């Protein structure tokens, strides 16, 4: 059963990809959706068996690498962490497949699209179920390659090409650090198996563990779009909307989080690594929220929201609250998929318009989509008793309850981010649904709710965004819950749940909620009662500079282009010019050819036609022959030291050689 969870999406991908012309569009839809739904049902059984009943499953398929003391096997581990990740990955992937049957109906390459989607899900399942770092790395690289194919699905668009290349190359930067981390694990632990590494960590040098932890973090930063390796994520919006939902909600961006969660027994023994993780997460959350304030593209606003929430998750890992981080991963997956699919429904029904300034008044035309996106936004805001509340609010409280510099830093930025998130979420809701219509009348006349294949996924995701947190919060993050068993490890002195729950002042607990309420109210007031304020703001020099700075995403892209990429290209050109076309050419084939030609030319000049010259050549040849015969004797050290008479022959030879060359 457990392997079937992995194999079914892979089979759907193969059939849709290689037999697409045989089975047709409807066949590809039917087979891929059926495989994903069956896999989701099996994952639900696995969640009950492994999670509820506490019975982890280990499957060994065979050895992969067997060299000296290093053994790497094809092995899979289905523990509580794995089956918890199965739920959002498979449920959301299934709903996105169903959604895509309508959304991509007009595209001529449906079979290829659905093949990529299923393959993407398969590699994500391999990543979360591998029992060692190497099997995980196979899934890690797999989702990297398939994400390139999905973002670049409409490959005739230059922007899609750029976005896909940026995503691939920036992820390779992180993958390089991750690869070095794996080599370090092999060097220190002699293995990549989770069981061996995690059981021997307490006995290892803390500095070595810190270095390994930071190398693993570099991989996670690229995959989960943490500052400064975040630039690729907003660009990935160039792919179709279902791709954006899949990448941003359940699969690609959660891979980095899963890596850190799985490595919790390793990270716990490095306080430095945890400190840096906390600072990176909190900074990313605040940075993305400020950038989201000024975005005008519907999908990009939600993309920056994703980066911000990923910052919260990384922040939770940094303060050693791995179960809360996982809870937020799952919660976020549901309401973020809801927001993306709702945005897709808006774009699809409104002539593919994505600029929020050219929308408005759609509540009358798309009431269900509006309700779904409102539910998703409220869950994102951590509205009490909706899904997001049970993890996001808890992360901020736990940060303060940590009573450390990093915890306080995370609390302050996390609270401010909560207010900013509320602002740009309700800005989106207001500009798209509530304000006066700003689009062409033709688009409004043709605008209507989509078919059931769009409505049903939105409805199911809305239910999850309302009830999932309430139902499963005690299981995942409740005090005394031993749901995760040995799959997650927290050092006893890093547990701060009780402190955060019972000892924090009421104002500290309410501050994020108050800031969220203020942000949402301010957005509604600004865009309904004082819309000219934002426009007037850019009339001032300071306003324009702030807007340019935030809209330019803190000018990270400018710095990368001008100082990293351009300097790299210049360095490559110089290396090519001075080494490849210079030194290497001189000592390589070109230099050898030139030397041989010159030598041949010089030798041909010795043919003068004068008999005395030829006599000299014959004499020189005889002297050379004599020298070669008597060289061992002539070059004996005792003879050279005594400068005996025999040395005269050597002198005569050198003199004759000089005369020939001089001539």
């Amino acid at each position: 059963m457990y392997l079937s969870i992995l194999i079914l999406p892979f089979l759907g991908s193969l059939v849709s990809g290689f037999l697409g012309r045989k089975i047709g569009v409807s066949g590809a839809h039917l087979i891929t959706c059926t495989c994903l739904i069956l896999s989701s049902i099996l994952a639900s059984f696995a969640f009950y068996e492994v999670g509820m009943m506490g019975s982890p499953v280990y499957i060994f398929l065979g050895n992969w690498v067997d060299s000296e003391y290093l053994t790497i096997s094809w092995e899979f581990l289905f523990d509580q962490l794995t089956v918890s990740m199965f739920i959002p990955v498979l449920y959301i992937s299934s709903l996105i497949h169903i959604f895509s049957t309508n959304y991509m109906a007009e595209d001529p390459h449906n079979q290829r699209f659905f093949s990529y989607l299923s393959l993407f899900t398969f590699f994500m399942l391999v990543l979360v179920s591998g029992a060692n770092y190497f099997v995980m790395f196979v899934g890690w690289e797999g989702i990297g390659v398939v994400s390139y194919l999905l973002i670049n699905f409409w490959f005739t668009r230059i922007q899609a090409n750029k976005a896909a290349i940026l995503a691939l190359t920036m992820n390779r930067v992180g993958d390089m650090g991750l690869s070095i981390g794996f080599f370090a694990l092999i060097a220190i632990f002699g293995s990549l198996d989770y069981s061996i590494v995690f059981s021997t960590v307490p006995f290892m040098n803390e500095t070595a563990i810190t270095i390994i932890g930071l190398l693993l973090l570099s991989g996670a930063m690229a995959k989960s779009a943490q500052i400064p390796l975040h630039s690729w994520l907003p660009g990935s919006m160039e792919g179709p909307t279902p791709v954006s939902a899949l990448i941003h909600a359940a699969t690609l961006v959660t891979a980095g989080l899963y890596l850190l969660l799985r490595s919790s027994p390793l990270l716990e023994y490095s306080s430095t690594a945890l400190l840096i993780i906390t600072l990176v997460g909190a900074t990313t959350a605040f940075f993305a929220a400020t950038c989201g304030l000024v975005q005008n593209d519907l999908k990009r606003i939600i993309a920056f929201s994703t980066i911000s929430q990923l910052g919260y998750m990384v922040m939770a890992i940094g303060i050693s609250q791995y179960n809360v981080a996982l809870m937020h991963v799952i919660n976020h997956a549901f309401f973020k998929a809801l927001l993306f699919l709702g945005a897709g429904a808006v774009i699809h029904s409104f002539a593919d318009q994505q600029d929020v300034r050219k929308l408005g008044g759609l509540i009358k035309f798309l009431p269900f989509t509006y309700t779904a996106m409102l539910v998703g936004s409220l869950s994102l805001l951590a509205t009490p008793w909706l899904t997001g509340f049970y993890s996001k609010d808890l992360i901020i409280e736990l940060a303060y309850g940590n009573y450390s510099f990093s915890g306080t830093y995370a609390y302050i930025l996390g609270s401010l981010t909560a207010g900013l998130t509320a602002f740009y979420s309700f800005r989106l809701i207001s500009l798209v649904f509530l304000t006066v219509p700003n689009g062409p009348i033709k688009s409004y006349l043709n605008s209507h709710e989509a078919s059931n294949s769009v409505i049903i996924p939105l409805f199911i995701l809305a239910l999850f965004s309302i009830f999932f947190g309430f139902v499963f919060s005690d299981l995942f993050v409740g005090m005394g819950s031993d749901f995760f068993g040995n799959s997650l490890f927290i050092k006893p002195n890093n547990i701060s749940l009780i402190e955060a729950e019972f000892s924090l002042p009421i104002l500290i607990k309410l501050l994020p909620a108050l800031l969220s309420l203020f942000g949402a109210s301010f957005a509604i007031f600004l865009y309904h009662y004082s819309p000219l304020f934002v426009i007037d703001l850019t009339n001032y020099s300071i306003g324009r500079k702030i807007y340019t700075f935030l809209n330019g995403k803190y000018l990270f892209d400018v710095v990368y282009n001008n100082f990293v990429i351009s300097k790299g290209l210049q360095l490559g050109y110089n290396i090519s010019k001075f080494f490849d076309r210079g030194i290497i050419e001189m000592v390589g084939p070109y230099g050898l050819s030139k030397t041989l030609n010159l030598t041949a030319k010089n030798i041909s000049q010795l043919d003068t036609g004068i008999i005395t010259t030829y006599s000299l050549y014959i004499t020189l040849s005889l002297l050379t022959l004599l020298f070669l015969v008597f060289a061992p004797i002539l070059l004996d050290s005792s003879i050279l030291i005594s400068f005996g008479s025999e040395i005269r022959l050597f002198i005569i030879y050198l003199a004759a050689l000089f005369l020939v060359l001089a001539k």
Side-chain angles (χ1 to χ4, degrees), residues 634 644-653:
L634 293 172
S645 59
E646 291 84 358
I647 202 69
R648 287 176 295 182
L649 185 59
F650 183 58
I651 295 169
I652 292 167
Y653 171 74

Side-chain angles (χ1 to χ4, degrees), residues 144-218:
V145 172
V146 182
S147 67
Y148 171 84
L149 297 173
L150 283 169
I151 296 168
N152 204 21
F153 181 74
W154 290 321
F155 54 84
T156 54
R157 298 169 56 192
I158 189 69
Q159 287 303 323
N161 299 157
K162 289 180 179 178
I165 291 169
L166 178 63
L168 191 69
T169 51
M170 193 159 282
N171 274 284
R172 291 293 77 74
V173 173
D175 293 353
M176 182 180 68
L178 186 63
S179 304
I180 298 170
F182 289 164
F183 288 127
L185 284 171
I186 293 170
I188 294 173
F189 296 95
S191 176
L192 290 174
D193 282 1
Y194 296 148
S195 55
I196 295 174
V197 173
F198 298 157
S199 59
T200 52
V201 163
F203 311 103
M204 296 298 174
N205 181 280
E206 187 179 340
T207 305
I209 293 170
T210 299
I211 293 169
I212 292 171
L214 293 177
L215 288 168
L216 296 181
L217 174 64
S218 67

Side-chain angles (χ1 to χ4, degrees), residues 474-488:
D474 284 340
L475 188 68
F476 281 84
V477 299
M479 284 184 295
S481 173
D482 193 34
F483 173 75
F484 291 105
N486 296 324
S487 61
L488 296 176

